[in-house]
């Protein structure tokens, strides 16, 4: 099965792996667990940041387990209890310890760069401060971090790390939940399935040394109209705005926008620009509300159709 690195193919990839992972309207289902599709999409669209956090958690686990005696003597915390937010009280000491144990010729930064490479992080730059921050996360422990086979091969080059990633491999669901402030019971399992699948998907689409080719619509260049790409406040396909002059924002996360070619996006952007201008020109609150509701309902219907 051939895939390219985009949101629709990631959904197809998950469904191909397990037919119970599916999208139904505005819900992503992980078997019987429903997850809002906008959250699913956001995780994918912000995956560079999330996967970077993952690489730092790998590096953090590697350095503390490979220097277990020194760490436990210095901080009186068992490495099997890490990560742990009690370390926030000793951040300066922790950064000093990490600097000592992560010289430039250390195997751990080298491993981190190789993992970042196969996961498609083209601009990864190793930071001791970010390793320290990773160690201060409070949640599930390093025995439960997931590693695809290709990552495990690189990780195992570090000595004395055999007990990392040998349990339920569900650690990162907790980290993603914290990132987005999600604490609803049951979501954790869905987040784990999405993230673990995302790592495999990035490796499949990347290839060593060939970073991910992200597909994004090009802003249409149309004379005399101001069209901007970004998030809309209510998730609508478009949203009018006014600074010195009228403009519209096209929702870069809406599936209709993502699936348009530049040639197709130009007439749509022009049409929505003048529709937004009409909305901006209404003085009646009743009319404004009517048009706003129309914009939201049309956007929702188009999202379901094109997702």
């Amino acid at each position: 099965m051939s895939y390219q690195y985009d949101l629709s193919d990631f959904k197809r990839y998950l469904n191909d792996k397990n037919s119970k992972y599916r999208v139904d309207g505005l819900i992503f289902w992980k078997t019987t667990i429903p997850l809002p599709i906008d959250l699913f999409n956001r995780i994918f669209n912000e995956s560079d940041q999330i996967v970077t956090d993952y690489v730092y958690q790998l590096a953090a686990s590697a350095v503390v387990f490979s220097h277990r005696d020194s760490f436990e003597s210095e901080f009186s915390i068992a490495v099997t209890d890490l990560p742990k937010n009690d370390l926030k009280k000793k951040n300066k000491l922790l950064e000093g310890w990490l600097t000592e144990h992560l010289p430039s010729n250390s195997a751990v930064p080298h491993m981190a760069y190789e993992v970042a490479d196969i996961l498609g992080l083209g601009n990864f730059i190793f930071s001791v401060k970010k390793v320290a921050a990773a160690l201060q996360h409070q949640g599930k422990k390093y025995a439960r971090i997931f590693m695809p086979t290709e990552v495990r091969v690189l990780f195992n080059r570090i000595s004395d790390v055999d007990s990392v990633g040998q349990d339920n491999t569900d650690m990162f669901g907790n980290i993603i939940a914290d990132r987005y402030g999600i604490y609803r019971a049951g979501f954790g399992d869905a987040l784990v399935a999405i993230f673990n699948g995302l790592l495999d998907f990035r490796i499949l689409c990347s290839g060593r040394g060939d970073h991910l080719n992200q597909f994004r619509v090009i802003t249409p260049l149309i004379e005399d109209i101001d069209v901007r790409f970004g998030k809309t406040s209510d998730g609508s396909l478009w949203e009018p705005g006014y600074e010195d002059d009228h403009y519209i924002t096209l929702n870069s996360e809406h599936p209709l926008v993502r699936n348009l070619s530049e040639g197709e996006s130009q007439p749509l952007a022009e049409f929505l620009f003048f529709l937004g201008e009409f909305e901006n020109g209404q003085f009646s609150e009743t009319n404004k509300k009517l048009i706003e509701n129309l914009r939201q309902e049309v956007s929702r219907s188009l999202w379901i159709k094109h997702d």
Side-chain angles (χ1 to χ4, degrees):
M1 185 72 67
S2 176
Y3 303 98
Q4 65 182 18
Y5 189 76
D6 62 19
L7 182 58
S8 61
D9 266 20
F10 179 49
K11 293 171 183 174
R12 183 164 63 92
Y13 171 78
L14 289 178
N15 183 253
D16 289 342
K17 286 185 66 174
N18 187 332
S19 61
K20 293 182 180 179
Y21 296 177
R22 68 195 190 281
V23 176
D24 182 10
L26 298 181
I27 299 295
F28 170 80
W29 290 91
K30 188 266 182 183
T31 58
T32 60
I33 303 171
L35 195 75
I37 195 65
D38 59 342
L39 176 58
F40 180 100
N41 294 346
R42 188 176 178 189
I43 290 170
F44 182 86
N45 292 330
E46 297 177 3
S47 62
D48 276 3
Q49 300 96 300
I50 297 171
V51 173
T52 297
D53 291 344
Y54 170 76
V55 174
Y56 279 114
Q57 291 292 354
L58 283 181
S61 65
V63 68
V64 296
F65 273 81
S66 61
H67 296 92
R68 177 193 298 251
D69 292 343
S70 173
F71 182 88
E72 292 181 350
S73 174
E74 186 74 43
F75 296 97
S76 300
I77 297 174
V79 294
T80 52
D81 285 340
L82 295 171
K84 195 174 184 68
N85 65 6
D86 287 357
L87 286 168
K88 290 180 179 179
K89 303 169 187 175
K90 302 178 179 180
N91 183 64
K92 189 172 182 179
L93 181 64
L94 177 61
E95 288 185 2
W97 185 90
L98 289 169
T99 299
E100 178 184 349
H101 291 85
L102 290 171
S104 58
N105 61 347
S106 167
V108 173
H110 183 72
M111 177 272 296
Y113 276 109
E114 287 195 283
V115 171
D117 189 45
I118 66 170
L119 291 175
L121 298 174
N123 298 314
F124 180 81
I125 298 176
F126 190 82
S127 164
V128 168
K129 288 183 179 293
K130 291 183 179 179
V131 176
L135 285 166
Q136 295 167 28
H137 176 78
Q138 183 66 35
K140 294 176 180 177
K141 308 309 175 186
Y142 287 131
R144 301 172 76 154
I145 193 168
F146 171 69
M147 285 186 240
T149 301
E150 297 85 347
V151 173
R152 171 62 73 179
V153 169
L154 297 173
F155 189 82
N156 281 350
R157 294 177 185 173
I158 312 296
S159 61
D160 301 320
V161 294
D162 294 346
S163 55
V164 178
Q166 298 294 339
D167 207 334
N168 295 331
T169 66
D170 61 351
M171 173 188 174
F172 234 75
N174 177 255
I175 291 177
I176 295 173
D178 283 351
R179 178 184 181 89
Y180 294 113
I182 302 165
Y183 303 107
R184 180 174 169 182
F187 271 17
D189 286 346
L191 296 175
V192 168
I194 293 167
F195 179 75
N196 292 358
L198 177 63
L199 293 182
D200 287 330
F201 184 64
R202 288 176 75 101
I203 291 172
L204 178 66
C205 293
S206 175
R208 194 180 187 94
D210 297 320
H211 303 299
L212 298 177
N213 184 13
Q214 305 247 12
F215 293 84
R216 294 187 174 91
V217 68
I218 301 172
T219 306
L221 300 176
I222 308 174
E223 188 176 359
D224 297 330
I225 75 171
D226 185 353
V227 178
R228 308 174 187 185
F229 280 76
K231 291 183 180 180
T232 53
S233 62
D234 59 2
S236 294
L237 170 61
W238 77 100
E239 186 173 55
Y242 191 89
E243 291 174 357
D244 292 332
D245 293 298
H246 165 65
Y247 67 92
I248 62 165
T249 299
L250 283 182
N251 186 353
S252 56
E253 296 184 356
H254 197 288
L256 177 63
V257 172
R258 290 195 312 270
N259 294 335
L260 289 176
S261 69
E262 183 178 3
E264 293 169 328
S265 65
Q266 289 185 2
L268 174 66
E270 189 168 15
F271 171 74
L272 294 178
F273 175 84
F274 289 107
L275 194 59
E277 187 176 54
F278 177 76
E279 182 177 348
N280 257 341
Q282 299 302 306
F283 294 101
S284 163
E285 288 301 318
T286 300
N287 287 352
K288 278 183 176 290
K289 194 64 179 176
L290 177 64
I291 298 171
E292 181 182 288
N293 288 340
L294 179 147
R295 174 162 50 83
Q296 292 172 353
E297 287 302 313
V298 169
S299 298
R300 182 180 183 278
S301 296
L302 288 170
W303 189 302
I304 293 171
K305 175 178 173 58
H306 291 275
D307 198 31

